[in-house]
Amino acid sequence: MSAKIIDGKKVAKLTRKEVRQDVDDWMDDGHRAPFLQVVLVGTNPASDVYVGAKTRACKDVGIETDTMRLPDTISAKELKATIQELNEDDTVDGILVQLPLPNHLSAHDVIESIDYRKDVDGFHPMNVGRLTVGQPSFRSCTPAGIIELFKHYSIPTKGKHAVVVGASNIVGRPISILLNKESGEYGKATTTVCHKYTKDLTQHTISADILVVAAGQPNLIKPEMVKEGVVVIDVGINRVADETKDKGYTLMGDCHFESVKEKASWITPVPGGVGPMTVAMLMKNTLLAAKNSIYPQ
Ligand code: GUN
């Protein structure tokens, strides 16, 4: 078997087109454009790339945005005071603090200082908690984007064994909750979450009908670790040194793509798989925030 490709770039484009139409309708009803405030602390080349992609997507769908660049010497107190001002500013609909933060700052603390009603990343404990018990909430963008891909390609997850490799708060844990909890055909999976202390990773991955890998380790998943017909969602974005490339690196996921593709029924490429969906879902969340759809006032 050679897997069919899950084209995240294509689905993200469709999603963005829908959001653009919804933004236009919202503004035709007399509202101002939704506004996303991005907060970028310190310098991190990967964060610059991600924030650039988010800014371009905002322009594409008609969402206004600004990136506040803060020095990596900023104290927790100063950063939280800045966030408090954004919380109180009625012209700001969504707040996104790009992660990772410099080591002296606690991401938990900073995320918790964001008004959960403006938390378009879906990282605030209020949103994560509500997601976990099945109440309306902002859903973190990468997991929400993965569910959209299943829906678009009619890949039902109900009753399937979904194995998640990686237990981060950004991807692994929330996708395991969504896959386990969502109602209908695109949820209700039996889920296993593996992490770096999992003893025999293959014992788990080999039984997966759906394998979501978000470990940040290139070539972690090899063909002998998966069963024939598995659906593979590769969330890894690893920069691997490559002198033949202008940038000096090549982007790779967490799976050995060429060989795993031969056993899988569906697979996401890297780049062009999950990444563009994350950005598209952020656009959706920002519009929901502007409309107060999740938390009506
Ligand atoms: N760093 C890596 N992914 C993300 C994301 O989705 N949101 C934020 N805020 N930071 C990130």
Side-chain angles (χ1 to χ4, degrees), residues 38-39 46-47 50-51 54 95-101 111 114 119-123 140-143 170-171 278-279 282:
V38 177
V39 178
S47 291
Y50 296 140
V51 168
K54 290 169 188 178
I95 303 170
L96 180 149
V97 177
Q98 186 65 27
L99 302 177
L101 290 170
I111 288 166
I114 299 171
D119 168 39
V120 287
D121 258 328
F123 292 168
S140 53
C141 303
T142 303
I170 296 184
V171 183
T278 299
V279 179
L282 175 67

Side-chain angles (χ1 to χ4, degrees), residues 209-243:
D209 302 310
I210 292 163
L211 182 63
V212 180
V213 196
Q217 227 178 293
N219 296 325
L220 174 66
I221 304 298
K222 300 179 179 66
E224 58 273 21
M225 296 171 72
V226 301
K227 75 176 178 193
E228 199 75 34
V230 63
V231 176
V232 178
I233 306 293
D234 191 346
V235 189
I237 305 180
N238 305 293
R239 289 181 176 203
V240 178
D242 183 348
E243 285 171 9

Side-chain angles (χ1 to χ4, degrees), residues 98-169:
Q98 186 65 27
L99 302 177
L101 290 170
N103 286 339
H104 69 283
L105 297 168
S106 151
H108 285 306
D109 248 21
V110 171
I111 288 166
E112 216 163 355
S113 74
I114 299 171
D115 184 333
Y116 64 87
R117 291 163 300 190
K118 298 189 178 190
D119 168 39
V120 287
D121 258 328
F123 292 168
H124 191 286
M126 181 70 145
N127 284 310
V128 179
R130 288 175 65 102
L131 178 87
T132 306
V133 296
Q135 278 190 281
S137 67
F138 285 109
R139 300 148 152 237
S140 53
C141 303
T142 303
I146 294 171
I147 298 290
E148 285 302 304
L149 289 173
F150 288 141
K151 286 184 179 166
H152 181 88
Y153 286 97
S154 302
I155 303 170
T157 61
K158 190 174 173 183
K160 302 274 173 68
H161 184 204
V163 176
V164 178
V165 181
S168 73
N169 289 331

